[in-house]
Structures are given as C-alpha cells and as structure tokens.
Amino acid sequence: MNSLTEQQPSDQYRANQNLVTHQSIERQLKAAVEQGDLELPVLPAVAMQVLELSNDPEASAAALAKLVQSDPSLASHIMRVANSAAYSGTSQMQTLQQAIARLGMQQITQFALAMTVGEALFKSDQSSQTMIASVWRTSLATGAWAREVARLLRENTEMAFLCGLLHDIGRPVALHAVLDLQSASGLSDEQQLVELTERYHQVIGVSLARRWQLPEPVIETINYLDDYFAAPSAARIVTIVHAARQIAVAIDAAEQPAESADGKLFSIASLNEPVFTELNLYEEDRLALDERVDTVDQLLAAMVL
C-alpha cells in the first residue's frame, strides 16, 4: 500500500513535467515560425539552375546536359530513370544526350528538379525514415499524376508536375524542426510529432517556397491545396494537383499499385471525388488515367531516393 502511495506522486510529477515539455516545444516552434527564425534549407545551386533553364524558352539540350553532368550523382539518377521500364523500351540509353533526345528537355528537367529537391529536403535519419519516405513518395506520385491529369485537360503539364511535386515541401521541414526540439528536451512523442507537423507544415512550406523564389502557382498550391477555389490566380492548376493527390493517396492505400485493398481491381474511374466533376474529368478520362497506372508506378520505383 505504501509503495503504491509513494508511486502515485511520482507518476503525476512525470505527467506534469511531460505536459510542460510538450507546451514548451509547441511554443518554441510557433515562435520560430511566426518570427521567421526557423532554419530553412537552402535550394541547391543545381536545382536553381534547373529552374532557370525550365523558364528559359531559348535553353538548349546541350546546356541541360552540361548542367546535369556537373553533378555525377544527379547524372546517375537521371540515367537510371531514363533506362527504367517506364521509358527505356527495348533499348538502353548510354548518354545524357540520348536520354534528352528521346525523352525531351521537359521531362529530363522535371527529373533533375525532383531529384535535387528530394536530396535537399527528404533526407532522413532513423527516427524519421518511415515518415519522410512516405511524404516523398506521395509528393512524387502527386507530381506524376498532376502531369497526367494536366495532359488530359490540355493544361501546362510542366507547371502541374512542379506544383504537385512541391505541394508538401513544408512537411519534412516541420517534421525535422519538431524532432530537433523534442531531442533537445529529451522527449520522444510520435503523437505530438504528427500533430505539430500537420499544424505547421503549410505555413512553413509557403515560407520556404518564397525563400526559394518558386513560381507563384507553387506557392498557391501549398497554400490552397484543400481550398482550391480560393487560389487567387492559379485555381486551375491547384485543383489539378488536388485531384492528383487524391489519386496518389487512393493508389497508395491499395495493397498493390493496381489493386484495391479488398482484392478487386483498383480503378481511378471508380473514385468518386467531387474534384473530378469540377475538372470535367469524365469516366472515359479516368479510364484513360487507369491505363497510366503501371507507367507511373514504374517511374516512382526508379525515382524514389
């Protein structure tokens, strides 16, 4: 009896201390975000140059090849994607020039940007590996499906891919910020990690996009993804990205890339999302997207870091 009585104050004390620590972590994160003191990652120089090339109508394939070759790791990644099942067909490409000639500057530029941003933002340690990998795969899938939807709707596929890829860039930054604060406080709490990451990733993402001087449609996508009608100037692209994310999440929830969790053949055409009606994506359009599931999945397999 005495030992139980002695234990109860100790348990209550620890609970109170944990509560104080939780509150302190949230206050520190909120203050850092509001005051602009949160340490944000720097956009890699190669990614910045890739963005400049993508916005330059006079950019040449030679300039793109030279830029990619300046980063051996990036060049290796690009060739791996170009020679993946999604693109190579029956013949393997040996040089970047061959890859650019076959796939086009637009696709190679998109791959280069995805990989450089992925390296900058989606590095993980043991404590964040599962979460970061999941965010990265969803971001890649959203970019890939945004491009497919934009192609069907005859919209800007390059901008759709970029907005889809970067729509969640604040999440890994928020996650690492919370992990650092928890580590400094000697606390490990996954529930708080998830809650604070969810609460602050959007505002952090907008700050990061502005710091990187990303195009305004990217910033609007981060800010208005779940309220796409409110996007001031890029509502169409934001709506496309919202639809693409719905597709990406639904496919990821299935047991297999093309199969639903209940064992029935997964079909994008079977998804009943209001955003498809708003985009005038009719059943035949969604059936056309179904035909791209294998190709997108092969692309993701090649691009996952």
Side-chain angles (χ1 to χ4, degrees):
M1 186 69 178
N2 288 340
S3 62
L4 180 60
T5 303
E6 292 171 0
Q7 186 67 29
Q8 286 175 339
S10 178
D11 289 344
Q12 185 62 50
Y13 175 79
R14 282 196 294 269
N16 290 340
Q17 287 299 104
N18 283 342
L19 178 61
V20 170
T21 303
H22 278 81
Q23 292 171 340
S24 173
I25 287 172
E26 181 164 7
R27 282 197 302 271
Q28 290 178 69
L29 180 62
K30 183 179 180 182
V33 170
E34 291 179 348
Q35 296 169 18
D37 292 335
L38 193 69
E39 185 175 346
L40 298 174
V42 176
L43 182 66
V46 171
M48 192 177 301
Q49 292 172 290
V50 168
L51 272 174
E52 290 173 357
L53 276 179
S54 69
N55 293 321
D56 182 0
E58 298 182 2
S60 67
L64 177 58
K66 182 178 179 181
L67 174 59
V68 172
Q69 286 171 332
S70 69
D71 186 328
S73 176
L74 176 60
S76 175
H77 281 309
I78 292 288
M79 292 306 298
R80 185 182 69 187
V81 174
N83 283 316
S84 68
Y87 293 103
S88 66
T90 57
S91 59
Q92 295 283 294
M93 288 166 268
Q94 304 299 321
T95 66
L96 274 170
Q97 287 79 2
Q98 287 177 331
I100 294 171
R102 184 182 298 181
L103 303 182
M105 281 188 61
Q106 181 177 328
Q107 288 207 74
I108 298 298
T109 299
Q110 290 173 357
F111 297 158
L113 185 63
M115 289 166 188
T116 51
V117 169
E119 288 284 353
L121 283 180
F122 293 89
K123 294 177 181 177
S124 60
D125 52 29
Q126 194 67 33
S127 61
S128 62
Q129 185 173 10
T130 301
M131 290 183 186
I132 291 291
S134 176
V135 175
W136 176 233
R137 182 174 177 84
T138 301
S139 296
L140 279 175
T142 301
W145 283 114
R147 182 173 59 187
E148 298 296 338
V149 173
R151 183 179 289 116
L152 271 178
L153 298 175
R154 295 193 171 99
E155 298 288 346
N156 186 328
T157 56
E158 186 172 354
M159 184 56 69
F161 177 84
L162 184 66
C163 291
L165 176 73
L166 302 179
H167 79 279
D168 216 9
I169 56 174
R171 195 175 295 273
V173 180
L175 190 148
H176 284 304
V178 178
L179 280 173
D180 288 345
L181 289 171
Q182 286 184 341
S183 177
S185 301
L187 183 72
S188 178
D189 187 323
E190 186 171 336
Q191 182 178 348
Q192 185 197 41
L193 175 64
V194 172
E195 289 176 354
L196 291 183
T197 299
E198 189 63 34
R199 193 174 306 161
Y200 289 97
H201 76 89
Q202 187 178 46
V203 65
I204 291 173
V206 170
S207 296
L208 181 59
R210 293 197 186 284
R211 171 77 63 86
W212 285 3
Q213 298 182 326
L214 295 176
E216 191 61 30
V218 175
I219 297 172
E220 289 191 23
T221 299
I222 297 169
N223 213 11
Y224 297 99
L225 184 64
D226 294 321
D227 188 20
Y228 40 86
F229 285 129
S233 62
R236 183 71 168 171
I237 286 290
V238 178
T239 307
I240 286 172
V241 175
H242 181 93
R245 184 176 171 87
Q246 297 295 95
I247 294 171
V249 169
I251 292 177
D252 190 54
E255 288 184 346
Q256 301 294 332
E259 187 177 338
S260 67
D262 61 8
K264 297 178 182 179
L265 185 66
F266 176 83
S267 172
I268 295 171
S270 69
L271 295 178
N272 186 23
E273 299 291 343
V275 69
F276 296 148
T277 302
E278 288 150 11
L279 286 170
N280 293 322
L281 276 176
Y282 301 109
E283 185 178 5
E284 59 266 30
D285 299 316
R286 301 200 301 275
L287 286 170
L289 290 174
D290 275 328
E291 296 177 0
R292 301 295 295 169
V293 169
D294 287 343
T295 299
V296 170
D297 193 63
Q298 290 164 356
L299 172 63
L300 297 184
M303 292 187 72
V304 168
L305 297 173

